[in-house]
Amino acid sequence: TNTKVVCSDIPVLREIYQDCVYFFNPVDVNDLIQKVNRCLKDSINQTAYTSFLTKFTEENMVNKYLELFKTNM
């Protein structure tokens, strides 16, 4: 579904979600408020959302894990 997300701006989440979500500074409550408000007003970035869904399909994730296991055995 087209769900909007506001999450903490930490490297691992930035790497995964890229431009699909609203990132806020985890130590700045005002930034969180600003991003929630923006999230409520903005429309979904459909291009980024579609790209994310394509990248993280069940099949892609299984294949990535299999590659990881094979290279570490």
Side-chain angles (χ1 to χ4, degrees):
T1 63
N2 291 334
T3 304
K4 297 178 186 179
V5 176
V6 177
C7 66
S8 184
D9 192 356
I10 59 173
V12 67
L13 295 179
R14 179 73 66 177
E15 179 181 346
I16 293 170
Y17 295 113
Q18 299 172 356
D19 57 353
C20 296
V21 302
Y22 296 86
F23 292 102
F24 68 91
N25 181 335
V27 296
D28 184 351
V29 69
N30 291 319
D31 191 42
L32 172 59
I33 293 167
Q34 178 185 9
K35 297 303 172 24
V36 168
N37 286 329
R38 187 182 311 165
C39 178
L40 293 172
K41 293 176 186 173
D42 290 352
S43 60
I44 290 178
N45 180 339
Q46 200 62 47
T47 303
Y49 182 74
T50 301
S51 174
F52 175 80
L53 291 180
T54 303
K55 185 177 180 181
F56 291 99
T57 64
E58 183 177 327
E59 183 177 352
N60 285 346
M61 296 305 297
V62 167
N63 288 334
K64 291 289 185 184
Y65 276 112
L66 288 173
E67 287 175 28
L68 180 66
F69 294 143
K70 287 177 184 176
T71 59
N72 289 313
M73 293 189 115

